[in-house]
Amino acid sequence: MLSKKTKYGIKALVHLARQEDRKPVQISTISKTENISQKFLESILLTLRKNGMLGSKKGKGGGYYLLRDPKEIPMTTVMRLLEGPIAMVPCVSLNFYEKCADCPDEATCAVNKIMLKVRDNTLEIFRNTTLADLSDTHVTL
Amino acid sequence: MLSKKTKYGIKALVHLARQEDRKPVQISTISKTENISQKFLESILLTLRKNGMLGSKKGKGGGYYLLRDPKEIPMTTVMRLLEGPIAMVPCVSLNFYEKCADCPDEATCAVNKIMLKVRDNTLEIFRNTTLADLSDTHVTL
DNA sequence: TGCATACTCTAGTAAGTCGATAGGGTAAAA
DNA sequence: TTTTACCCTATCGACTTACTAGAGTATGCA
């Protein structure tokens, strides 16, 4: 299950991507239009900023803005940042690999086998989808 | 992330599927060979039994056994039973659908859009993979 | 220059849920 | 009478979500 953090984060990023100019958008604006608890959103945007996804401007007329072109932001990056591993099991994760304590041999593990396939498929989707794709309201994926 | 419940459940089912005859296998046997806490495994097998996946026999020579042919058990069934919804968001779930409280329109929701695609892909994999496929140690998926 | 405003940032915390495990006891089959 | 499935309860820790209060900082205006 996707955490609300990730869900809200994606929505906020899409909101920013839909902004035509790259002017800062205030947290309160995003919070209201996307129906997200303002304080919670605050912490989410903060992690996005710390990881080089967003820039921020303080003071009057301040807010958050995208640092890169939405076309250049694949969903893999967003997901790994907000949700963590894309794989359903650590033993098939690329970026968050961890050996299972209980499993003696990954090569013959049934769970490993199928989850590897699922990960490959999911990864490909996220890789080929950018923030710009999601921001387009008309085009279906 | 896959819960350990699901992971262990799949392992146990595969263990039973690999059994040539359909004789009952004791919990303790599965627990030892698969490195699963016996008590935890107990509760997992119980839910599998209650949902018509396994049969059980009490007393000496008792244990758990598969009720159906492994070829007839798609992973969708197993996943829904153990893990719950396959979709990452309730609003794109087939069997566990729930409308998002914050989202005014699913048709234009970016999260909905991409997660629908992920679900379709994952679902197809689980649908086309049976317990028999996982039980085969040699064939890769 | 300096004050007020409008923002981001930080920290702490509380409630709720979930995962995993442990203990003890009952019922049925051989 | 032994073996084994079955059932109930309780705990502990971790994580998620969300709220609260305030500190820090840039901007615009007088």
Side-chain angles (χ1 to χ4, degrees), chain A residues 9-128:
Chain A
I10 294 174
K11 283 193 168 190
L13 285 171
V14 167
H15 185 107
L16 291 174
R18 280 177 181 160
Q19 216 67 16
E20 285 171 27
D21 40 17
R22 206 51 54 87
K23 276 184 191 163
V25 180
Q26 299 163 31
I27 292 182
S28 62
T29 307
I30 303 177
S31 154
K32 274 172 205 156
T33 58
E34 305 293 339
N35 291 309
I36 305 171
S37 147
Q38 177 157 344
K39 282 291 175 182
F40 194 26
L41 181 60
E42 235 173 74
S43 70
I44 296 167
L45 294 182
L46 201 61
T47 64
L48 287 174
R49 191 193 67 89
K50 281 181 179 164
N51 289 89
M53 189 70 74
L54 298 179
S56 69
K57 202 183 167 191
K58 288 185 181 178
K60 205 170 187 175
Y64 283 94
Y65 53 92
L66 280 176
L67 284 176
R68 280 179 277 163
D69 189 325
K71 286 193 197 72
E72 306 299 321
I73 305 175
M75 288 309 290
T76 39
T77 310
V78 177
M79 290 299 291
R80 290 211 176 97
L81 230 141
L82 292 167
E83 188 74 6
I86 289 166
M88 297 181 90
V89 179
C91 68
V92 298
S93 175
L94 289 174
N95 291 258
F96 300 82
Y97 175 82
E98 224 171 290
K99 196 184 177 310
C100 296
D102 54 295
C103 192
D105 180 23
E106 284 179 10
T108 58
C109 174
V111 176
N112 185 286
K113 213 164 32 163
I114 189 168
M115 291 308 160
L116 194 64
K117 207 176 174 189
V118 171
R119 187 215 61 187
D120 282 339
N121 264 263
T122 308
L123 207 55
E124 204 187 342
I125 295 174
F126 285 147
R127 218 173 245 152
N128 295 326

Side-chain angles (χ1 to χ4, degrees), chain B residues 26-27 42 49 56 59 64:
Chain B
Q26 298 165 30
I27 293 180
E42 215 174 279
R49 191 192 67 91
S56 69
Y64 283 94

Side-chain angles (χ1 to χ4, degrees), chain A residues 70 128-137 139 141, chain B residues 113:
Chain A
N128 295 326
T129 308
T130 69
L131 203 56
D133 296 324
L134 287 191
S135 305
D136 198 325
T137 22
V139 179
L141 291 180
Chain B
K113 213 169 20 168

